[in-house]
Amino acid sequence: MKKKGGAAAAITSDQMYSIEENGHSGIGMRRFLMMENAGHGISDFITGKFKQQLKNKKIVAVCGTGNNGGDGLVAVRHLAGYGAKTSVVLLGSPSDIKSEEAKLNWGIVEKMDSVEIIFGKEVSDAVRKKILSADIILDGIFGTGIKREIKDPHASAIDAINKSKKAYVLAIDVPSGLDPNTGSVYDKVVRADATITFHRMKKGLVTKGARKYTGPVRVEWIGIPPEAERGVL
Ligand SMILES: NC(=O)C1=CN([C@@H]2O[C@H](COP(=O)(O)OP(=O)(O)OC[C@H]3O[C@@H](n4cnc5c(N)ncnc54)[C@H](O)[C@@H]3O)[C@@H](O)[C@H]2O)[C@@H](O)CC1
Ligand SMILES: [K+]
């Protein structure tokens, strides 16, 4: 059952983290299961939108080292199964990847020769070219964990994504750089063709002016039991 997270049901990132913690620690709906469902939701949207043409599409997931990037790793794993040419650009080194669930998914993807992997602490010309030649870009740089101003390599990656003329850009959870609670822009933000946000709409995605960055926003239920919202919403 998909819950439509309309504006009224929009929540803050703190509320999301509490719901996530309740689900993970209280009910046993572990974060890596949430990440799997999130990534599958991204993949499902892309396959639904591109159907047969997916075969020769070049899909590039631009991933941060947090769980937003982790979602991108899951999505690429699913999409590799549809015959798309899939690549991951990790902004940082694998050892920077923070959470267990993101490390788990990195470990899987790096064993897949059907997924090209590029990583580094700066956006090289090769990475810029990879992003600019993509047909589909998954923005997994930052989600609700965005803080402070944005420096390199993240800043250059966002610039490259925004420079791409031909790619369809799908933002994972939140367009990278947009504040999930206020909808304000730190200093740069990914302009996405659409956004898939997880579990419930986030307040920042439905503020005035956010639409030019989010595109149409879809709420993807990722299997967190509604009971995890008790005491939070
Ligand atoms: N909350 C949940 O239930 C779930 C969260 N998931 C994903 O997890 C995301 C949140 O993940 P994280 O909390 O790891 O954070 P993010 O992945 O949003 O951010 C990545 C990391 O970037 C760093 N960062 C923040 N601002 C920065 C800046 N200006 N310059 C450089 N680095 C910066 C932070 O340390 C953060 O750990 C969500 O947006 C969503 O995509 C999903 O896995 C689904 C489940
Ligand atoms: K994102």
Side-chain angles (χ1 to χ4, degrees), residues 46-47 49-59 78-86 114 135-136:
I46 292 291
T47 53
K49 185 169 181 57
F50 291 93
K51 293 193 179 53
Q52 290 320 318
Q53 312 109 303
L54 208 50
K55 279 227 172 342
N56 336 328
K57 292 284 182 206
K58 285 181 280 185
I59 303 181
H78 283 266
L79 286 164
Y82 289 92
K85 294 183 189 58
T86 52
S114 56
D135 298 304
I136 298 168

Side-chain angles (χ1 to χ4, degrees), residues 104-160:
L104 168 82
N105 280 295
W106 176 262
I108 299 169
V109 165
E110 70 173 355
K111 294 184 190 69
M112 293 171 67
D113 50 22
S114 56
V115 178
E116 179 192 28
I117 287 179
I118 313 173
F119 60 82
K121 290 198 181 312
E122 81 292 316
V123 172
S124 62
D125 288 348
V127 165
R128 189 169 283 107
K129 218 164 124 255
K130 177 61 70 179
I131 293 174
L132 290 177
S133 63
D135 298 304
I136 298 168
I137 295 172
L138 306 180
D139 162 26
I141 303 173
F142 301 123
T144 51
I146 179 73
K147 302 187 273 293
R148 309 189 306 275
E149 69 289 342
I150 296 170
K151 294 190 177 58
D152 265 351
H154 308 87
S156 300
I158 292 175
D159 288 343

Side-chain angles (χ1 to χ4, degrees), residues 68 139-143 171-176:
N68 196 240
D139 162 26
I141 303 173
F142 301 123
I172 298 177
D173 204 28
V174 181
S176 295

Side-chain angles (χ1 to χ4, degrees), residues 16-17 19-21 31 34-36 38 64-71 98-99 101 140-151 154 172-174 198-199 222 224:
M16 187 65 228
Y17 282 116
I19 291 167
E20 175 194 333
E21 180 54 23
R31 281 192 184 83
M34 298 176 192
M35 185 171 281
E36 186 68 21
T65 53
N67 280 5
N68 196 240
D71 297 348
K98 295 184 173 65
S99 72
E101 52 274 11
I141 303 173
F142 301 123
T144 51
I146 179 73
K147 302 187 273 293
R148 309 189 306 275
E149 69 289 342
I150 296 170
K151 294 190 177 58
H154 308 87
I172 298 177
D173 204 28
V174 181
F198 305 119
H199 184 69
I222 52 174
I224 298 176

